[in-house]
Amino acid sequence: MESSDRHATRPTHGLVAVPAGRVTLSDRRTQRSWAVDLAPFRLGALPVTQDLYAALTGLHPSTSDGDRLPVESVSWWDAARFCNSLSEQEELRPAYRITAAAADSDATVTQDPAADGYRLPTEAEWEYACRAGTEGPRYGTLDDIAWHRGNSGERLREAGSRSPNAWGLHDMLGNVWEWCWDRYDPEVYGDYRVLRGGGWFDEHWSCRASVRRRSHPTFRVDDVGFRLARSGG
């Protein structure tokens, strides 16, 4: 696991090395499936927590209060800008080129493939990392690995307090939905972005590795957060 030692007093954001591989994605709405080959990358062992988000931005957007709770009520744009800000703080090359605009709905973004900074995972990376070599709907028994409507007490829970998958990644299912880089289906939904993983208020059927959800990139709600990624092994 990798973590930043440049700011020893700040919250950590450990990343787990994920090996190269292939994952097959599917969409129930269109009955389509497609295989994606992936290069090695790194992914946060936990979703971004409120203490880490506040330490960098000075903001507390979440409706629930707790340093070790996942940050929520953040838009896709909030997450992308956080990735760039953290990259700049650590003197890494930002992953995103974001145009200035009066409103996020008018901004544009492109990804720099040569960047070594933080970014959002693609949905293929997310599902591949979630599965961690497994083939079923989940990487373990639901109540052991995920906070969902049946066991959360209908509230957000501390990040990392459920069992991780085989690659050391916690909360890949349940607790908060996580923004991914990808557009859901541009021809039908325009700029809507992919969400993965299920959340603390979701029934068990939403907490599966293959479930896809979509939302507008300006959307903020109390069961949506994000997780950091970086390219390279």
Side-chain angles (χ1 to χ4, degrees):
M1 181 180 295
E2 170 194 296
S3 62
S4 172
D5 58 5
R6 194 168 300 184
H7 303 285
T9 62
R10 290 181 179 269
T12 60
H13 43 282
L15 302 185
V16 171
V18 178
R22 168 176 282 203
V23 64
T24 299
L25 307 182
S26 60
D27 182 77
R28 293 182 64 186
R29 182 182 61 86
T30 62
Q31 300 298 305
R32 185 171 67 97
S33 62
W34 62 103
V36 181
D37 291 312
L38 297 168
F41 64 99
R42 286 166 283 176
L43 189 67
L46 304 175
V48 170
T49 52
Q50 293 183 23
D51 58 351
L52 177 59
Y53 195 86
L56 183 68
T57 67
L59 301 175
H60 299 269
S62 302
T63 59
S64 299
D65 185 25
D67 285 350
R68 301 305 299 162
L69 297 177
V71 70
E72 32 85 0
S73 300
V74 286
S75 70
W76 185 93
W77 285 106
D78 295 332
R81 290 191 172 96
F82 180 91
C83 290
N84 273 5
S85 294
L86 187 59
S87 298
E88 291 166 357
Q89 182 188 77
E90 297 190 4
E91 299 178 3
L92 301 171
R93 183 170 171 176
Y96 302 126
R97 301 186 183 101
I98 301 173
T99 62
D104 285 341
S105 56
D106 298 323
T108 62
V109 58
T110 56
Q111 185 169 331
D112 180 355
D116 61 353
Y118 295 96
R119 58 179 177 79
L120 297 172
T122 66
E123 71 163 322
E125 289 174 331
W126 187 96
E127 183 168 332
Y128 176 67
C130 177
R131 292 185 177 280
T134 63
E135 296 182 356
R138 305 181 183 96
Y139 51 86
T141 303
L142 180 61
D143 282 347
D144 292 339
I145 65 173
W147 292 114
H148 59 98
R149 191 168 187 172
N151 68 357
S152 69
E154 298 189 2
R155 62 185 177 89
L156 194 64
R157 296 289 186 148
E158 182 175 323
S161 55
R162 299 279 87 178
S163 297
N165 68 13
W167 292 346
L169 300 163
H170 294 263
D171 297 333
M172 292 298 291
L173 298 177
N175 224 5
V176 288
W177 290 88
E178 298 179 6
W179 289 111
C180 293
W181 160 254
D182 311 66
R183 291 179 172 87
Y184 183 85
D185 184 344
E187 292 184 2
V188 178
Y189 295 101
D191 203 35
Y192 274 49
R193 300 285 172 160
V194 171
L195 289 162
R196 288 299 201 112
W200 57 267
F201 196 66
D202 284 279
E203 300 288 356
H204 60 89
W205 56 76
S206 288
C207 297
R208 292 179 289 121
S210 62
V211 170
R212 307 174 76 223
R213 176 179 157 189
R214 63 187 178 272
S215 193
H216 194 272
T218 61
F219 181 69
R220 297 181 178 96
V221 71
D222 62 0
D223 66 349
V224 171
F226 67 102
R227 188 180 301 251
L228 298 168
R230 285 181 68 185
S231 299

